Amino acid sequence: MPTQILTIEDLSEFKTELIEEIKKLLRQSGIQPVKKVLKSPDVRKLLNISPGTLQTMRINGTLPFSKIGGVIYYDYEDIQKMLDNNKTIHNY
């Protein structure tokens, strides 16, 4: 059996091809990577709430946010924690 030597260039090319193939599979499956930081329109769409409801959640401290240069940002993990903290279990 002959011996083959892999070069750094071979590995780099393999890595690039592998990443492209994974991206292609994700696009085909419809799975979108979740952004870590979201802006207000993204949060409203995610939670299906109005701008006023989102503002109320900011004011009463339900949902933490950061404001940079007039743009409000929300951490996806904070949204997930808020949803987890507000879960209710119904005993039917």
Side-chain angles (χ1 to χ4, degrees):
M1 196 179 224
T3 304
Q4 287 187 326
I5 298 176
L6 291 176
T7 65
I8 293 175
E9 290 82 19
D10 293 333
L11 292 174
S12 180
E13 183 179 332
F14 175 72
K15 177 180 117 179
T16 302
E17 290 175 8
L18 184 60
I19 290 172
E20 287 305 314
E21 189 65 29
I22 290 170
K23 286 180 182 179
K24 180 180 168 187
L25 289 171
L26 286 174
R27 280 192 300 272
Q28 289 174 350
S29 70
I31 297 172
Q32 296 294 323
V34 176
K35 296 179 192 176
K36 181 166 173 36
V37 179
L38 303 170
K39 293 182 182 178
S40 293
D42 300 323
V43 175
R44 291 196 318 266
K45 185 176 179 183
L46 179 68
L47 299 176
N48 194 26
I49 58 175
S50 69
T53 300
L54 185 55
Q55 181 178 6
T56 300
M57 294 169 79
R58 284 194 308 266
I59 291 169
N60 66 19
T62 302
L63 186 57
F65 65 96
S66 299
K67 188 172 183 179
I68 302 170
V71 179
I72 299 174
Y73 297 96
Y74 305 86
D75 189 327
Y76 182 79
E77 290 180 15
D78 288 337
I79 296 168
Q80 200 60 48
K81 285 178 193 173
M82 177 198 67
L83 292 172
D84 291 341
N85 290 339
N86 288 291
K87 277 186 185 179
T88 58
I89 299 172
H90 295 281
N91 295 324
Y92 294 104

